[in-house]
Amino acid sequence: MNWESEFISLNSEDLRRYDNRPGFDLVSYQEVGLPVYKITIDALTQIRKPIPPIEEYVLKIIDAGVASEKEIAGFLGLELSITMEAMVNLRVSEDIDLIAPDASQLQIWRLTKKGERTLREAKIIVPEERTFEINFDGLLRTPRWYGQFEKSLLKPKYIRDKGIVEIEPSPKHPPELSDLKLKDIEKIIQEIEIARDRKSKNSQEQDLLALKAIERRQRFFQPATALVYKAKDSDEIQVAFIVDNVLSGEHETAFARADGVRKLRIADSLRQSDSHKLAEEVLGSNFIDQDSLAKSRELNKRSLTAQASINTVQESLKQVETDEEKENLRQKITKLEEEIKRVIAEKSTLSIQNLAMYDHRPLLERAVRESEKRLMIISPWINTHSVDKLFLEEFENLLKRKVMVYIGYGIDDGKDQKYPNRKAEKDLENLASKYSQNFMLKRLGDTHAKILISDTKFAVITSFNWLSFKGERDRTFRDERGILVSDPKKIDELFDDLLGRLTEI
């Protein structure tokens, strides 16, 4: 199984569209596994009868000679109104009628010929025990059926081996019979039967009478993507989930109710990877211009607002019919696109600015394509998700242009057997051997820095793993925003400092 195919792949534009929560910034996203149990239920069923169970028993009582409404209700132990409703239905269906045995007696209830036939058909039905396999969402605490997504459920070992973040069930215990409602299970079983084409003209529909026991419980995980939002003006954190390519509000609510942010220590992780703190450590606190960063935040907000408006207008464009309406909407889009261009031009004048998490990959791709003299990447991790075939092709084109390239990576000695997939690292080693004159690849062994420098155009200090989508095996949610510096003098200072370390013997 190609595990990566089980998760949706979000590109920069996808993430930009999700960065639309009022008062919050999208700061991180991770592949996660949502808890699911496959459970085998022992149930009591019967073939669906021509009438509901209460009406069936009313027929049986009348057939036994009980003739008045109050007596029938008392015999069944039901409220009179429920019994009367069943009897009205039976009379409308012509299964019972009021009959006077002779002129001197009051009318009493009796079965019609049709009612006798209906009761005979019901009498031959015998309940039977059956087992059904369904799913149970461990976070929502509800039974589910995933249809075509059933095959995408992943085993716990698979999740652990790939280092995917596990979302705990809440509460932690597996589902009990008391967690299941008969009507919910019956609905799911009907959906499964339909999907598997088990119904035909001659097939008999079945009623679920009772759930007897849960015979087996197996734990699985449903692939999902968690989006982490941090409040602009406080420490509040919200986590949303993309499930089956759709934002799932119910999973977000359940995760918040289960205190998931605290359990996964997300707040602590974000504080430890704060982009401003990292930039101050690398560049010095005196260099960080708070006015420029405030202006950058304002411009980012304008850009996101304009892009959200473009998305809304584009949806409206699909609905309108007249040429005049379409032209008006196109003009709105043009004005909004011009606003985004103005924002980009204004941002380019800032010596330091904030980067959203989705700004990083396009910057890396731009640096590989456009660097003219030098490119430096410091990234603790390297894997094939980021250093893929297309990246390697572009990267080799960069080397062919004689650009000086420096990559420092690694927070271990490379001998840890927990990380067997070293293909991307070996691919870069092959290029370093082939282009030894202008490509230095060095394992630093203890670097936690994440830095990108392209000529004197820009330098980025961030928590974003440039050459690894995944990051650490025991990774946490990280604030993957960054700081971009466009001051040539400061870029040179940073480059020289890092180069000194890379060239140490």
Side-chain angles (χ1 to χ4, degrees):
M1 176 188 290
N2 179 6
W3 70 275
E4 290 172 352
S5 66
E6 307 301 337
F7 295 85
I8 65 170
S9 179
L10 298 177
N11 59 35
S12 298
E13 289 307 310
D14 293 328
L15 292 168
R16 191 182 300 275
R17 283 194 292 272
Y18 285 119
D19 193 6
N20 59 358
R21 186 164 294 206
F24 287 80
D25 291 320
L26 177 61
V27 300
S28 182
Y29 82 108
Q30 291 277 14
E31 294 168 350
V32 300
L34 296 174
V36 173
Y37 295 91
K38 280 188 179 181
I39 58 176
T40 302
I41 301 174
D42 184 11
L44 189 64
T45 68
Q46 72 173 15
I47 297 172
R48 183 165 298 170
K49 304 175 182 180
I51 53 174
I54 292 177
E55 294 175 18
E56 176 193 344
Y57 285 111
V58 170
L59 286 178
K60 289 179 179 179
I61 297 300
I62 293 175
D63 188 49
V66 181
S68 75
E69 294 91 339
K70 288 185 178 179
E71 288 178 321
I72 294 170
F75 196 91
L76 293 176
L78 297 174
E79 293 181 10
L80 181 60
S81 60
I82 296 175
T83 304
M84 289 296 297
E85 182 181 353
M87 294 179 72
V88 168
N89 292 337
L90 288 170
R91 191 172 193 187
V92 170
S93 63
E94 299 182 350
D95 284 295
I96 61 174
D97 204 354
L98 283 169
I99 299 172
D102 57 55
S104 63
Q105 294 181 346
L106 296 174
Q107 290 182 319
I108 59 175
W109 290 103
R110 286 286 186 266
L111 301 188
T112 64
K113 293 293 184 181
K114 180 177 181 294
E116 291 174 357
R117 185 171 63 253
T118 299
L119 187 56
R120 280 198 306 273
E121 291 175 356
K123 283 180 179 178
I124 64 171
I125 297 169
V126 179
E128 65 174 354
E129 288 190 20
R130 289 188 59 188
T131 58
F132 299 95
E133 188 176 85
I134 67 167
N135 301 119
F136 184 88
D137 191 303
L139 192 59
L140 303 181
R141 308 305 293 183
T142 56
R144 285 294 177 96
W145 180 60
Y146 296 111
Q148 62 177 329
F149 297 104
E150 171 85 15
K151 61 181 180 296
S152 70
L153 296 180
L154 303 175
K155 294 182 179 180
K157 184 178 184 302
Y158 213 84
I159 290 283
R160 289 193 297 270
D161 288 347
K162 299 301 179 182
I164 299 164
V165 174
E166 297 182 18
I167 304 299
E168 288 185 349
S170 181
K172 284 188 176 182
H173 65 76
E176 301 294 340
L177 209 57
S178 58
D179 294 316
L180 308 179
K181 294 181 180 179
L182 192 67
K183 63 178 182 179
D184 294 337
I185 304 301
E186 186 169 33
K187 181 180 178 182
I188 290 172
I189 290 173
Q190 289 172 0
E191 291 175 346
I192 294 172
E193 296 287 334
I194 293 171
R196 292 178 179 174
D197 294 325
R198 289 182 177 173
K199 292 192 173 184
S200 66
K201 291 183 180 179
N202 298 322
S203 66
Q204 294 176 305
E205 297 182 345
Q206 295 197 3
D207 286 314
L208 189 62
L209 301 180
L211 305 177
K212 299 189 67 178
I214 298 177
E215 294 185 351
R216 189 181 184 191
R217 302 168 178 85
Q218 293 176 283
R219 193 174 176 187
F220 286 81
F221 288 92
Q222 182 182 21
T225 301
L227 304 174
V228 181
Y229 296 87
K230 188 176 185 301
K232 297 178 185 295
D233 302 320
S234 71
D235 292 330
E236 183 184 355
I237 294 166
Q238 296 180 358
V239 181
F241 295 92
I242 303 173
V243 185
D244 299 340
N245 298 311
V246 177
L247 273 174
S248 173
E250 55 184 355
H251 281 95
E252 177 175 354
T253 301
F255 182 79
R257 187 170 56 243
D259 202 12
V261 170
R262 181 188 62 80
K263 291 177 180 177
L264 288 177
R265 302 181 65 182
I266 295 176
D268 292 340
S269 299
L270 297 186
R271 279 194 291 268
Q272 291 169 9
S273 57
D274 179 79
S275 58
H276 287 219
K277 182 174 70 175
L278 292 172
E280 288 180 354
E281 291 175 359
V282 174
L283 301 172
S285 58
N286 293 334
F287 180 77
I288 305 301
D289 184 348
Q290 296 299 334
D291 290 338
S292 291
L293 291 177
K295 181 65 174 178
S296 173
R297 284 192 290 271
E298 177 198 335
L299 293 171
N300 287 340
K301 182 178 179 180
R302 280 172 53 188
S303 178
L304 286 172
T305 301
Q307 186 59 56
S309 298
I310 288 174
N311 296 338
T312 301
V313 176
Q314 285 176 334
E315 288 300 315
S316 300
L317 192 58
K318 299 175 184 177
Q319 308 299 324
V320 300
E321 296 180 357
T322 68
D323 291 341
E324 182 179 357
E325 289 175 312
K326 290 180 180 179
E327 181 58 28
N328 288 336
L329 291 177
R330 291 192 186 101
Q331 289 179 8
K332 286 184 179 180
I333 292 175
T334 299
K335 289 180 180 179
L336 290 166
E337 289 174 340
E338 290 172 351
E339 164 70 358
I340 292 176
K341 289 179 182 178
R342 286 193 294 271
V343 168
I344 293 173
E346 204 168 339
K347 284 171 67 175
S348 67
T349 64
L350 301 175
S351 61
I352 185 170
Q353 59 181 277
N354 295 287
L355 291 179
M357 58 174 296
Y358 42 79
D359 291 326
H360 289 75
R361 184 70 185 190
L363 271 173
L364 174 63
E365 293 171 353
R366 173 186 160 192
V368 172
R369 285 194 311 268
E370 300 179 7
S371 292
E372 298 172 349
K373 295 182 178 180
R374 67 185 185 188
L375 171 66
M376 180 177 288
I377 303 172
I378 308 296
S379 178
W381 296 89
I382 298 174
N383 69 26
T384 53
H385 192 95
S386 289
V387 184
D388 55 16
K389 182 179 179 181
L390 180 59
F391 177 88
L392 288 168
E393 289 175 357
E394 293 285 354
F395 192 76
E396 186 165 12
N397 288 335
L398 174 79
L399 295 170
K400 288 177 180 178
R401 298 199 306 269
K402 306 299 183 184
V403 176
M404 296 298 300
V405 179
Y406 308 88
I407 293 181
Y409 72 102
I411 58 173
D412 61 15
D413 59 7
K415 298 178 180 179
D416 193 336
Q417 295 304 309
K418 288 194 298 182
Y419 312 112
N421 183 7
R422 304 268 182 194
K423 182 181 184 305
E425 182 180 340
K426 292 184 183 301
D427 288 336
L428 289 177
E429 286 173 353
N430 291 336
L431 289 176
S433 176
K434 184 177 179 180
Y435 297 92
S436 58
Q437 297 300 312
N438 61 318
F439 181 19
M440 173 183 290
L441 177 68
K442 184 171 181 178
R443 176 180 287 277
L444 298 175
D446 61 350
T447 181
H448 290 269
K450 302 167 185 73
I451 297 171
L452 174 70
I453 300 177
S454 176
D455 296 325
T456 53
K457 299 172 187 173
F458 61 82
V460 179
I461 299 91
T462 180
S463 293
F464 181 84
N465 283 289
W466 295 107
L467 301 179
S468 170
F469 174 75
K470 297 290 174 280
E472 303 92 324
R473 176 58 58 113
D474 300 319
R475 69 189 183 279
T476 56
F477 291 87
R478 303 186 69 83
D479 184 339
E480 293 185 323
R481 293 175 294 180
I483 298 294
L484 182 143
V485 177
S486 53
D487 182 304
K489 181 180 178 181
K490 196 65 179 180
I491 294 172
D492 277 336
E493 289 178 5
L494 179 59
F495 180 87
D496 290 342
D497 180 62
L498 293 170
L499 182 61
R501 186 173 178 206
L502 283 169
T503 54
E504 286 178 357
I505 298 176

